[in-house]
Amino acid sequence: MLIAMTKMDEMVIRVLYGSETGTAQDVAEQIWKSAKRKGLQSTVSSLAEYDIQNLPSEQLIIFVVATTGQGDPPANMKQFWRQLLRKNLPATMLKNLKYGVLGLGDSSYSKFNFAAKKLNKRLAQLGGEELLPIGLADDQHNLGIDAVVDPWIKKLWDEIVDVFEISVKEKTNEDNLIIERFGVSIIEINQLNPIHIDERLTGSPYQSNADIYAQETFINNDVRIGTIVENIRTTSEDHFQDVRLINIQADNIKYDPGDVIYIRPKNTAEQVKRFFDILCEHEIKLFPDTVIQVSEKEIKVPFVLKRNLTLREIVEQYWDLNFKPRRSTMHTLSLVSDNELEKEKLSEFASPIGQEELYDYINRPRRNILEVLTDFPHTTSKMNIKLLFEIMSPIKPRLYSIASSLEATPNRIQVLVAVVKFKTRLVEPRFGLCSKWLASLKNNDKVIFWLQKGTFRFNNDKPMILIGPGTGVAPFRSLLLERAKKEDLKECILFFGCRNEDKDYHCRQDFERLSRENNLKVFCAFSRDQDRKIYVQHLIRQQKELCWQFLENNGSIYLAGNSKNMPDNVRDEFVSLAKEIGKMTKEQAETFIKHLEKSNRYQTETWG
């Protein structure tokens, strides 16, 4: 995100963001709206759209940057970052620049907020001066990124007042209560609402025939349309978790082991019906076949919204009905509410002192936007199409490690997907939007996707220790299937973990065949098949001599899976291994593992 001034008495705030899935864009727009309410001129766009040649003439820049993979910048920041790293840039290039960097990250990743930290350092190297210290927001915090974002933005405005001696006082009036990003209008009202025709209809009337994102394939060669050719459950029917191996066909695709696929999911028919039920209940005259036009007002209109769409298409494919409202959402709702009790509660949720209560209301039970609208009926009755575009959040693309090999299955992409479903204190179970949608797909259904380099950098010339419990095994299946087509696998060890050998041993036939025919060393931890729980770190301890032999031969460790406890437990085991087998002190063993990490011989890919 970037802020630039032209004149002291006429500040123009340009907000630039770097984000893979859109969170940084949300925060950038939050700052943009704050600037507009203060009566300041402001625009917002991505870093990819910013001309870096303007950088030396800027006076004040604030970046909001997410981090991907192994500390990499997001896709729409990469070109900007490459230009900023040019060796011929003078050390005084940014001598007139004051800057601030707000990073959005996840502390479950070892390289937490690396992209923001590297950017902050590079700006200083080029002569820039910090306006305020770097902000490092953490998605793992109880309050989410808002725990850092909100006080950081407040500090930003305080520093702008002190340094540039301008007023940033809110200029609130009826005209700027709601800052609208787009021009939104209804160009055709079709009241043939399925809800009124037949209340039993819960399927096709709430699903559109066309995919609104298919048009992206015309402007971006990387975006593709794939066809589902197989959707297999890899866990037993009586297992608590539904895990799918989904096979997608697409011609002329290229990827390597370790690469990832981004998929655009949709809301379920049940969720879409619930949305329209809420509109109907509150007598909001918006129907599924109402045609909507979105035009540019303050913010550039996303390409997908540049053609007229029905409300059904927008609700099913653009708005995230599982979205957990943030503090800024509650603030917007509080501005339109005219019910005293509801307005008071919404204002409290939007205030700094109400963040713990907001966490208990939203984050702990994972309450979604539809449930919030139901809980505040008087406020919901004030909704119209323009307000809906302000409180709803777009569906973010979901990322999955590719589990297949083009050598083994040409023109195929396979993903190993665990269907997210769990209970909270709310009656209705929570579910993952994308995983549930993917699990529902049938043969010949279509998916919109694109491929991208993953975080792993495999060294095929050296021994490999692969650790992938659960669906973390996906990138290693891709790697092993690829290598098996060309060479023996005697220099590979796979540690896999699950609950039960007969219930959730994903892709068992593949690994048993590779062990039998290609000399792959496979060690499985089935944690619930005996009285004492056995995890992958216990098997590493059992195979400590073999692991040390691999490491002595310049082997590398690759780990993928849930970030909760497993990565730390595995790392501790390798420290212990270095102490015991390598005859090192505790300090030497820790230094040894850190050296492996810094030299990319110990790579991790984890998620919360």
Side-chain angles (χ1 to χ4, degrees):
M1 183 211 63
L2 173 152
I3 294 181
M5 287 192 311
T6 54
K7 296 180 181 179
M8 289 303 167
D9 60 345
E10 197 175 300
M11 177 183 285
V12 178
I13 301 179
R14 280 186 281 276
V15 185
L16 298 183
Y17 53 86
S19 178
E20 201 78 62
T21 59
T23 306
Q25 180 178 353
D26 293 343
V27 174
E29 290 180 3
Q30 181 179 339
I31 296 174
W32 166 77
K33 288 184 177 182
S34 178
K36 297 290 287 185
R37 291 193 183 98
K38 298 175 190 303
L40 302 172
Q41 296 185 55
S42 180
T43 63
V44 62
S45 59
S46 73
L47 272 166
E49 298 167 319
Y50 178 68
D51 187 351
I52 198 170
Q53 294 185 23
N54 295 330
L55 202 56
S57 62
E58 307 284 12
Q59 292 177 292
L60 171 62
I61 301 179
I62 307 294
F63 296 86
V64 173
V65 176
T67 294
T68 63
Q70 300 287 336
D72 301 320
N76 65 355
M77 178 184 169
K78 286 183 177 179
Q79 182 178 359
F80 177 89
W81 180 239
R82 282 195 296 268
Q83 292 176 309
L84 202 63
L85 289 178
R86 286 179 298 173
K87 293 182 180 179
N88 63 345
L89 297 180
T92 57
M93 186 182 89
L94 304 181
K95 63 181 181 180
N96 297 319
L97 174 72
K98 289 182 173 59
Y99 70 88
V101 176
L102 175 58
L104 307 182
D106 186 323
S107 59
S108 66
Y109 289 83
S110 58
K111 296 186 176 180
F112 171 59
N113 265 317
F114 244 49
K117 293 173 183 176
K118 289 188 290 188
L119 175 62
N120 198 62
K121 182 177 180 180
R122 181 58 176 160
L123 294 171
Q125 290 174 343
L126 295 174
E129 179 185 347
E130 270 190 338
L131 177 70
L132 72 169
I134 185 173
L136 301 176
D138 183 8
D139 200 46
Q140 292 295 315
H141 191 282
N142 281 348
L143 302 180
I145 61 171
D146 284 342
V148 169
V149 168
D150 291 333
W152 192 90
I153 293 175
K154 182 179 184 301
K155 178 68 173 175
L156 164 66
W157 293 119
D158 291 342
E159 291 300 322
I160 288 175
V161 169
D162 291 343
V163 173
F164 296 100
E165 298 180 349
I166 61 171
S167 172
V168 294
K169 188 175 181 180
E170 293 269 342
K171 295 179 173 60
T172 304
N173 56 52
E174 290 300 321
D175 294 330
N176 72 353
L177 277 178
I178 304 297
I179 308 296
E180 295 176 359
R181 295 173 295 171
F182 312 126
V184 183
S185 57
I186 295 173
I187 63 172
E188 182 181 337
I189 299 176
N190 188 336
Q191 296 191 28
L192 188 62
N193 190 339
I195 297 171
H196 300 306
I197 298 172
D198 188 343
E199 293 182 356
R200 295 170 299 172
L201 294 176
T202 58
S204 58
Y206 299 95
Q207 294 176 304
S208 55
N209 295 323
D211 195 314
I212 66 174
Y213 284 99
Q215 60 186 313
E216 286 187 330
T217 61
F218 300 118
I219 63 165
N220 187 341
N221 292 331
D222 294 331
V223 178
R224 309 292 298 277
I225 301 177
T227 303
I228 300 296
V229 293
E230 200 171 38
N231 190 338
I232 303 171
R233 178 167 176 149
T234 67
T235 51
S236 64
E237 291 296 332
D238 62 343
H239 189 60
F240 80 99
Q241 189 171 45
D242 182 358
V243 178
R244 301 299 181 105
L245 185 66
I246 299 173
N247 203 320
I248 303 168
Q249 177 182 349
D251 296 332
N252 301 316
I253 51 175
K254 292 182 180 180
Y255 62 84
D256 296 310
D259 288 354
V260 298
I261 180 172
Y262 279 87
I263 294 176
R264 286 206 178 277
K266 301 177 183 178
N267 293 299
T268 64
E270 292 80 9
Q271 285 285 80
V272 177
K273 180 181 184 301
R274 181 176 300 181
F275 176 89
F276 283 107
D277 283 344
I278 291 172
L279 297 188
C280 182
E281 181 181 346
H282 294 90
E283 298 184 354
I284 300 170
K285 298 188 182 304
L286 292 171
F287 307 103
D289 290 319
T290 298
V291 180
I292 308 297
Q293 184 179 70
V294 181
S295 59
E296 190 163 331
K297 184 174 184 180
E298 297 281 357
I299 293 180
K300 187 176 180 180
V301 176
F303 181 76
V304 71
L305 297 179
K306 287 188 175 180
R307 68 181 179 89
N308 297 341
L309 299 171
T310 66
L311 186 56
R312 175 193 284 106
E313 290 173 322
I314 293 170
V315 174
E316 181 198 24
Q317 301 177 49
Y318 184 71
W319 287 336
D320 185 349
L321 303 185
N322 262 16
F323 167 64
K324 300 194 303 296
R326 294 177 54 218
R327 177 181 170 184
S328 55
T329 314
M330 297 310 205
H331 176 66
T332 301
L333 289 173
S334 72
L335 294 177
V336 301
S337 181
D338 62 1
N339 177 273
E340 185 176 347
L341 290 177
E342 291 186 7
K343 190 178 187 70
E344 181 181 354
K345 176 55 68 176
L346 289 165
S347 298
E348 183 180 347
F349 283 150
S351 68
I353 63 172
Q355 293 314 287
E356 288 291 342
E357 190 171 351
L358 179 62
Y359 173 79
D360 287 338
Y361 175 66
I362 294 290
N363 297 70
R364 198 181 298 279
R366 297 183 69 86
R367 190 176 261 109
N368 64 42
I369 183 65
L370 297 188
E371 291 162 332
V372 170
L373 292 177
T374 301
D375 287 348
F376 292 87
H378 297 287
T379 304
T380 299
S381 67
K382 298 296 179 182
M383 288 298 106
N384 54 44
I385 191 61
K386 293 183 178 182
L387 287 172
L388 285 170
F389 265 93
E390 296 310 317
I391 67 165
M392 303 300 292
S393 179
I395 296 176
K396 310 292 194 299
R398 277 20 179 217
L399 176 155
Y400 295 95
S401 293
I402 296 174
S404 54
S405 158
L406 283 176
E407 290 286 336
T409 50
N411 299 321
R412 295 285 193 276
I413 304 166
Q414 295 174 340
V415 290
L416 194 61
V417 178
V419 180
V420 177
K421 182 180 179 181
F422 56 93
K423 284 187 171 292
T424 68
R425 65 173 182 245
L426 299 178
V427 174
E428 188 174 329
R430 309 290 92 182
F431 63 85
L433 185 152
C434 189
S435 62
K436 184 174 181 179
W437 175 73
L438 283 173
S440 72
L441 296 180
K442 307 286 192 300
N443 285 1
N444 297 318
D445 283 345
K446 306 296 182 183
V447 294
I448 306 294
F449 73 91
W450 61 94
L451 305 176
Q452 192 167 296
K453 298 303 295 182
T455 61
F456 283 128
R457 298 294 181 263
F458 293 122
N459 187 341
N460 291 313
D461 298 326
K462 303 293 183 182
M464 294 181 168
I465 301 172
L466 312 172
I467 306 153
T471 57
V473 80
F476 306 138
R477 179 179 184 265
S478 173
L479 172 73
L480 294 168
L481 290 174
E482 179 104 346
R483 289 190 63 173
K485 288 291 182 179
K486 306 171 184 176
E487 59 189 297
D488 192 89
L489 298 177
K490 62 182 180 181
E491 293 295 295
C492 297
I493 305 172
L494 174 64
F495 290 102
F496 173 75
C498 64
R499 291 194 171 204
N500 307 101
E501 182 177 8
D502 296 329
K503 293 189 176 184
D504 57 337
Y505 186 172
H506 311 308
C507 309
R508 176 177 182 171
Q509 292 181 340
D510 293 314
F511 299 128
E512 289 181 344
R513 175 177 56 80
L514 293 174
S515 176
R516 184 174 61 252
E517 299 177 4
N518 300 87
N519 297 310
L520 172 67
K521 299 173 181 66
V522 182
F523 302 100
C524 296
F526 304 116
S527 63
R528 305 300 198 275
D529 277 352
Q530 60 283 311
D531 293 337
R532 181 174 62 90
K533 292 180 181 177
I534 298 177
Y535 299 114
V536 286
Q537 63 265 25
H538 301 132
L539 296 187
I540 293 169
R541 186 181 309 161
Q542 290 176 13
Q543 302 299 325
K544 56 190 176 185
E545 298 280 357
L546 179 61
C547 289
W548 186 250
Q549 177 188 330
F550 270 48
L551 293 178
E552 280 193 314
N553 291 332
N554 290 318
S556 298
I557 301 165
Y558 304 92
L559 178 148
N562 191 284
S563 63
K564 189 173 182 181
N565 297 313
M566 183 271 298
D568 288 339
N569 291 335
V570 167
R571 191 184 187 282
D572 290 344
E573 198 56 54
F574 277 108
V575 171
S576 298
L577 186 151
K579 284 171 55 184
E580 181 181 349
I581 310 300
K583 307 300 182 185
M584 300 179 186
T585 65
K586 183 177 180 181
E587 290 75 18
Q588 289 172 331
E590 182 65 36
T591 300
F592 173 72
I593 296 301
K594 285 182 178 178
H595 172 72
L596 293 183
E597 292 169 334
K598 288 182 179 179
S599 60
N600 276 335
R601 288 181 57 199
Y602 193 137
Q603 299 179 36
T604 62
E605 182 178 278
T606 61
W607 55 87

